[in-house]
Structures are given as structure tokens and as C-alpha cells.
Amino acid sequence: MKYAPIANYINGQFVPASTSQTMNVVSPLDGTLLSTVPMSASTDLDAAVAAAKAAFPIWSKTTIKERVQVFFKYKYLLEQHLKELALLCSEENGKTYSESVAEIEKCIELTEFATSLPQLVTGEVLEVSRGVECRTEHVPLGVVASIVPFNFPAMVPNWTLPNAIALGNCMIMKPSEKVPLCCGKIAELLKEAGLPDGVFNIVHGDVAIVNAICDHPGIEAVSFVGSTKVAKIVYQRATQNLKRCLALGGAKNHLIVLPDAKTDMTAQNIIASMSGCAGQRCMAASAMVAVGNVDHIVEKICDEARKVVAGQNLGAVINHESKTRIEQYITEAEQQGAKILVDGRKVVVTGKEAGSYVGPTVIDYVTPDMAIAKEEIFGPVISIIRTNTLDEAITIENANPYGNAASVFTQNGGMARYVIDRASAGMIGVNVGVPVPREPFSFGGWNESKFGVGDITGKSSIEFWTKLKKSTTKWNPEAGVNWMS
Ligand code: NAD
């Protein structure tokens, strides 16, 4: 085993879980056993909540200007440890080293946003009647939890932790049991940056610990990022227990391509979107809706796909189970009449035979009723659905139950606006394959891609991680008498 067994992180210390039950952490790159992760018990969560609760009175009363000093230092430490974190991220998740570097760079950008929060949470004050002032303040919630998925071991934890903590909360992080290593390093860096013990805690585990988080009376708010199936469970359970909850789910992102789209740029964007992080991004292109004759673009897409090579510029999918599931979708579509233009099944990387790789796959003449057109694949696969009109394309996009992202490729501004107005998704791209809003814009989808109000990053996250206190004050008894006096 390459690394020591993973421990929970409670009150500034790495501590073993109280159970002996563990799961193996295996690198998708080559099958190396990296570590073991504990399946914690609810008593471990109790200890983490107690530590967070004990830290809250002092941390929440520290001024925000002081709190963000920790994140200036944390940002610097992320920069210093970029290579180490990127290697860890690649090892446990299977993405390429350069994709992992980009992931850590995104963590730095997210932290940079958190350092700007003092400029954004100034509250409001107004003299509402003579001598009477109303004022609002953003007040932290208390102990909050963040449950995260496997596909971004460092970035998704950093969607929530810098903002929630800078805004004065104390946090319990529940990493994905498939990729638990990066969070441990993040904890070390936060401590080195000066974060007081108990403000950030990690409890590892799977279903049982997620349920315990949703049920715990000491936790005020739960953020979740993962599949739609689990997002629904978490949202229902947490809100049933009267907690604030924001649960981001899965996706099926449609890219509409019009005949006037720039051929090379469109093909490059579509292949980068579908194959980046081996297609395991909630913003990945999954279905390309081709309007009219775009054969010249499809041809170029195939050329671009052939430049993407597993084990070189294409990472692994998370495990063998996932590889098998993705390959089954491709085979089923083929059996139902779709045409495989580039086939990524049965890919083996020499020297990394135990890795779980799927090559880039382009499938044409997919019909909207096929499973590959309807379900989230989470692999480097693009399904091309042919339509005659833009309205037909929009109908297909609108019919999918998810709503994370949608893009249109065209040189016509009017057509682009037509799609922006009609696509049923929270994040829209025009000639952009992965339309992730950069900070300070907030990240969040619609429909079955998100349950709860607001978004998870950017300015919108301020509303989620704080509650508003409204005070009405009068210090001037000489002011004129009126209805408020
Ligand atoms: P997942 O839903 O399987 O797991 C997410 C978290 O939930 C993990 O921490 C896991 O331990 C826990 N979990 C798993 N099953 C559970 C259950 N039955 N009950 C309670 N908790 C459970 O997701 P994943 O496979 O880790 O991640 C991939 C999914 O995440 C994809 O669907 C992807 O689209 C989605 N995702 C969405 C976004 C977004 O912004 N919308 C971002 C990243 C990933």
C-alpha cells in the first residue's frame, strides 16, 4: 500500500475512526492500492460536530477581515503545494496530471473569491423613518456539512469550504470514499494557514455517514454534490430534518451545432468537453444535437477524437465497474442501430493493464429514445442526434430531465440568443463547450441537476452559508414623532 491508512480529521488532529471497517482506495490509472479509508460510525461524526460546535463561538465572532487572512495564506500554500496536490488528485481520481493542475488552479481561484468576501457582505443600512435605522447583517449558521463526489477530489471541496468558513461557519467535510486523499492534504494546508482547530473537520465514510449528517441535530446546513439519485435522498432527508440544504445532482448536457458553426473550433471544443477528465465532469458534453447538414463538422470531430489517446492525453475512468457500464451503453446503442464512428471500447494501456480506461467514442445516428441519449454516461462518449430544425433540437434538449449545461455552436447571434432563451439549463455556452461560470459568477444547474434555492459558488453562496439579521434602531428620541416612533 502506497500511503498510510487514512484517518478522520477532528479538532485539528488526524484520528482513527472508531470502527475497523475500511474500503480500499485504488488508483484508476494502474490499479495500485493507494490506501484504505475508514467507514466511520455516527460516534465519529458526533466527535467532529462537538469539535466544530466548540470552535464556533470564537470563529464566528472573529471579524471577517481576520477570517479571510487564513485564506490568503491558504491560497499561497495551494500555490506552493500545487504539484504535490495535482499528483495526488491524478493518482486517486485517474485524471491526467495537466487536468489535475487545472483543478488545483481552480481551487486557487475559488479561494481568491473567498478572500474578497469582506467586500461583498457589508450589509445594508437605511434611515427608514426620522431617527430610525434598519440594518442587515450576514450571520453565520453554525456547524455545516459538505458532502462531495469523486470526480473533483480537490475542486468540489473548495467550492464550499473557503466561502462557508470565511463567512464564519465551522465545517464537517465528507469526502468521496473513492478519492479521500486530497481532502487530508487540504486539512494540513488549512492548519498551516492558521485555521483554528475544530473549524474544519473531515469524517470519512459512505451511505451511513451521509445519513448521519442529514439526521444530526447539531448540523444546521448540508451541501451535497453528486448524482441525482443521491441528491434527492440527501435533499429530502436533510430538509425533513428541517436543515437548510442545497443538493447538486447529475447532468446530461446537450450541445446544439448549427451548419454555420466554425468547423475546427466547434470540433475541438466538443472533443475537449466530452473527453476532458475522461468525460467525468457534470459539465461534459454528452449529446450533440446536429441541426441540418453538419457532416463536415462530424468528420472533423472524428479527427479530433482520434488525437485523444488513453494513458496519454486521456485519463482513466474511476473504476472497472464504470468502464464496463460505459461500454455497455455503447454496445446497446450499436445494437439499436446507432453508428460507432470512433470506438473506445476494450482499450488497454500498455504497462497500465490494471487501469480502467475507455477511449474517446463518437456515435452517430443516436435517437432520442435510446438509453445513451437519455441517461448520464460519465465517460468520454459523444452521441450525435440528427435533427432538421433548431426547434426540434431545443425540444430534445428541453425533454431531458437534467439542466446543468447546454451550448450552441453558431456564428449567428440571433440563433444563439434564441437558444439562450429556450434551453432549460442553468449554465449556457455560446461556442463554449464547458460553460462553467468563473468566479464571481455562481455555479448551479436547474431541474434534476439541483435541488434547493441558489447556487453553490460565487455571490449566491453567501445567501446559502449565512442568515440575515435585521435590526431596527432608534437612538435619537428628539427626532420627529411618526408611526415608527
Ligand atoms: P454519488 O452520488 O455516488 O456520491 C456522492 C456522495 O454521496 C459521496 O460522498 C458518496 O459517499 C455519497 N453517497 C453515495 N451513495 C449514497 C447513498 N445511497 N446515500 C447517501 N450517500 C451516498 O456521486 P459520485 O459517483 O461520487 O459522483 C458523480 C456524480 O456527481 C455524477 O452524477 C455527476 O454529474 C455529479 N456531479 C455533479 C456536479 C454538479 O455540479 N451538479 C458536480 C460534480 C459531480
Side-chain angles (χ1 to χ4, degrees), residues 265-430:
M265 186 268 282
T266 302
Q268 284 157 9
N269 264 273
I270 288 177
I271 291 303
S273 178
M274 71 78 124
S275 68
C277 300
Q280 299 175 123
R281 284 190 288 203
C282 64
M283 295 294 280
S286 186
M288 167 181 152
V289 191
V291 181
N293 185 353
V294 295
D295 286 351
H296 55 295
I297 300 175
V298 171
E299 207 173 296
K300 189 70 192 167
I301 283 174
C302 293
D303 293 345
E304 289 297 324
R306 289 187 193 98
K307 294 181 194 165
V308 178
V309 181
Q312 293 177 25
N313 55 352
L314 174 66
V317 296
I318 190 68
N319 52 31
H320 289 282
E321 192 189 343
S322 185
K323 175 181 162 76
T324 306
R325 187 182 51 78
I326 296 162
E327 292 185 345
Q328 276 167 356
Y329 273 113
I330 302 169
T331 302
E332 190 186 298
E334 186 178 38
Q335 286 163 353
Q336 291 172 345
K339 195 171 163 198
I340 316 290
L341 301 182
V342 180
D343 193 349
R345 286 171 291 182
K346 307 277 174 263
V347 163
V348 175
V349 175
T350 309
K352 295 180 177 175
E353 287 77 6
S356 43
Y357 295 88
V358 178
T361 301
V362 182
I363 314 179
D364 205 352
Y365 299 103
V366 169
T367 53
D369 56 312
M370 294 179 186
I372 204 160
K374 291 195 289 196
E375 293 166 23
E376 183 174 39
I377 311 299
F378 232 48
V381 179
I382 187 88
S383 301
I384 302 172
I385 304 170
R386 303 276 183 160
T387 64
N388 292 317
T389 67
L390 179 55
D391 283 331
E392 271 179 65
I394 289 168
T395 302
I396 290 169
E397 191 286 328
N398 286 181
N400 100 82
Y402 299 100
N404 233 26
S407 288
V408 58
F409 287 83
T410 180
Q411 291 306 298
N412 183 318
M415 291 292 186
R417 188 66 235 180
Y418 193 83
V419 174
I420 293 172
D421 288 342
R422 288 163 181 78
S424 184
M427 294 170 279
I428 312 287
V430 175

Side-chain angles (χ1 to χ4, degrees), residues 93-126:
N93 170 275
K95 61 183 73 180
T96 66
Y97 177 69
S98 61
E99 287 167 347
S100 298
V101 168
E103 175 163 351
I104 308 308
E105 283 169 347
K106 182 65 196 176
C107 297
I108 292 166
E109 188 185 30
L110 289 158
T111 306
E112 205 173 272
F113 175 77
T115 62
S116 73
L117 282 168
Q119 327 309 325
L120 299 172
V121 290
T122 49
E124 292 174 327
V125 61
L126 181 72

Side-chain angles (χ1 to χ4, degrees), residues 95-284:
K95 61 183 73 180
T96 66
Y97 177 69
S98 61
E99 287 167 347
S100 298
V101 168
E103 175 163 351
I104 308 308
E105 283 169 347
K106 182 65 196 176
C107 297
I108 292 166
E109 188 185 30
L110 289 158
T111 306
E112 205 173 272
F113 175 77
T115 62
S116 73
L117 282 168
Q119 327 309 325
L120 299 172
V121 290
T122 49
E124 292 174 327
V125 61
L126 181 72
E127 187 182 35
V128 290
S129 297
R130 256 168 292 161
V132 179
E133 281 182 355
C134 279
R135 154 189 166 140
T136 58
E137 292 163 76
H138 289 275
V139 177
L141 303 175
V143 179
V144 298
S146 176
I147 303 162
V148 293
F150 79 79
N151 63 328
F152 284 96
M155 183 190 78
V156 176
N158 278 287
W159 273 0
T160 56
L161 83 87
N163 293 347
I165 293 176
L167 289 165
N169 300 289
C170 293
M171 178 171 266
I172 315 292
M173 179 67 66
K174 207 303 277 175
S176 163
E177 63 279 22
K178 294 174 186 148
V179 295
L181 288 159
C182 278
C183 275
K185 188 69 204 169
I186 287 167
E188 281 176 25
L189 299 185
L190 285 169
K191 182 155 180 143
E192 195 179 337
L195 191 71
D197 292 347
V199 176
F200 178 72
N201 306 275
I202 302 172
V203 180
H204 292 283
D206 61 1
V207 183
I209 216 70
V210 171
N211 288 341
I213 287 172
C214 294
D215 295 346
H216 204 292
I219 295 176
E220 303 296 329
V222 177
S223 75
F224 171 89
V225 181
S227 62
T228 290
K229 183 183 134 221
V230 184
K232 283 181 182 171
I233 295 170
V234 168
Y235 186 79
Q236 281 168 347
R237 193 158 179 153
T239 55
Q240 180 74 26
N241 285 313
L242 307 179
K243 295 183 199 313
R244 191 178 282 204
C245 184
L246 185 60
L248 273 61
K252 183 81 188 171
N253 305 314
H254 289 65
L255 274 63
I256 298 175
V257 178
L258 301 183
D260 73 333
K262 293 250 187 212
T263 306
D264 290 358
M265 186 268 282
T266 302
Q268 284 157 9
N269 264 273
I270 288 177
I271 291 303
S273 178
M274 71 78 124
S275 68
C277 300
Q280 299 175 123
R281 284 190 288 203
C282 64
M283 295 294 280

Side-chain angles (χ1 to χ4, degrees), residues 6-122:
I6 291 165
N8 289 332
Y9 182 76
I10 297 175
N11 206 21
Q13 306 295 325
F14 286 99
V15 288
S18 60
T19 61
S20 55
Q21 203 193 336
T22 60
M23 274 178 61
N24 287 343
V25 183
V26 175
S27 175
L29 292 175
D30 57 7
T32 301
L33 176 62
L34 297 174
S35 185
T36 58
V37 59
M39 296 296 105
S40 307
S42 61
T43 48
D44 299 311
L45 180 66
D46 290 342
V49 173
K53 255 194 149 124
F56 182 70
I58 293 179
W59 183 245
S60 59
K61 292 294 173 217
T62 306
T63 66
I64 189 164
K65 275 180 169 284
E66 284 174 82
R67 290 195 300 252
V68 298
Q69 297 314 308
V70 171
F71 288 96
F72 280 109
K73 291 185 196 128
Y74 174 62
K75 174 181 175 281
Y76 168 78
L77 290 170
L78 285 172
E79 286 160 354
Q80 297 303 301
H81 292 264
L82 189 146
K83 194 173 169 193
E84 182 188 351
L85 267 164
L87 283 168
L88 207 54
C89 177
S90 174
E91 237 175 0
E92 65 176 340
N93 170 275
K95 61 183 73 180
T96 66
Y97 177 69
S98 61
E99 287 167 347
S100 298
V101 168
E103 175 163 351
I104 308 308
E105 283 169 347
K106 182 65 196 176
C107 297
I108 292 166
E109 188 185 30
L110 289 158
T111 306
E112 205 173 272
F113 175 77
T115 62
S116 73
L117 282 168
Q119 327 309 325
L120 299 172
V121 290
T122 49

